[in-house]
Every structure is written in C-alpha cells, then in structure tokens.
Amino acid sequence: MRGTIPPGVTVPLHSHADPETFIQISGEIEGLSQSPKGFVWVSIRPGDIFHVPGGAKHAFRNLSTEAAVMILVSTSRIGRFFREVGKPTAGESRHSDPPSAEAVQHFLKTAAAYGYWNATPEENASVGLSLT
C-alpha cells in the first residue's frame, strides 16, 4: 500500500496484531519505537525501512513542511481495515481539514471491531503527541 502523512499530521499511539514494514519513499517522518528502555522517536528518511512487529505500540509524526510518502507492507486484514476507515485523497499531499467527530467515532468503532488498541489522550501525551 502507498501511504502519505501530510505535514503537521500525527498518527496516534496504537497497536494491532498485524506486522507492518514501512519503506520511506520521500519526505521525512518520525516513528515511535518501543524498546526495553521505553519509547524513542526515530527519524525515517527516504530509503529507510521501519519495521513494526505485530502487537508493538507505535505512532508517527510529520514535523516537516513536506508530505511523507511510504510503501507499507502488511497483511490483507489491515488493508481491509484501511479501506473501511480510509478516505481517498487522490494523491493530494497538502494538509487537509481534521477529521469530523463522526469520522473519528467510525474509526474507533471499526478499530475496536478489528481488535486494535488505541491510546488515550493521556497515553499519547506521555510520548509527546497532542491530539488537539
């Protein structure tokens, strides 16, 4: 799958059973990696590979002014999840409006149905993510 994280956008802390491998194509993002010593933000640049084992808590943030584009290799199950919750952007790389409350509720309900875990606002804040 091809994914784009617009400038200034974060993907909050979450986990799921599906492993994911991200191959960065363009732009730069930071990925949150969990180690025995805790969480650490890792810069991911073009050509870098960022692997997330199944069940690992992870997040992303794009602090740059440029869209970050990556190829995501994962399971067909997570592909179905993205189809259910995703909103096509037709290659749009500029920052779009925040999701509506209805879209957020649909996302959380669908994630719960898939058995995916999403952090609370406090858990996100503890790793440096503000969801406001």
Side-chain angles (χ1 to χ4, degrees):
M1 296 170 272
R2 178 185 163 126
T4 301
I5 300 177
V9 171
T10 64
V11 176
L13 184 63
H14 65 284
S15 70
H16 40 73
D18 313 270
E20 296 176 300
T21 300
F22 298 86
I23 305 163
Q24 193 70 19
I25 302 301
S26 64
E28 182 177 335
I29 59 171
E30 291 183 336
L32 187 66
S33 179
Q34 189 176 15
S35 75
K37 294 183 179 183
F39 289 104
V40 62
W41 286 102
V42 177
S43 291
I44 306 168
R45 296 178 180 91
D48 289 348
I49 296 172
F50 186 79
H51 179 71
V52 179
K57 294 178 180 177
H58 58 289
F60 296 95
R61 62 185 180 191
N62 184 347
L63 302 177
S64 77
T65 58
E66 174 183 347
V69 179
M70 71 235 30
I71 299 298
L72 165 59
V73 179
S74 190
T75 65
S76 59
R77 185 170 193 268
I78 205 163
R80 284 189 302 276
F81 169 77
F82 284 136
R83 283 181 187 242
E84 286 186 45
V85 300
K87 174 173 85 173
T89 60
E92 187 175 329
S93 63
R94 63 180 170 78
H95 181 72
S96 58
D97 293 330
S100 67
E102 180 180 277
V104 170
Q105 287 308 310
H106 171 67
F107 177 90
L108 293 173
K109 182 179 176 184
T110 305
Y114 274 76
Y116 296 169
W117 173 83
N118 286 287
T120 65
E122 295 79 17
E123 289 167 322
N124 278 292
S126 75
V127 295
L129 294 175
S130 171
L131 304 181
T132 57

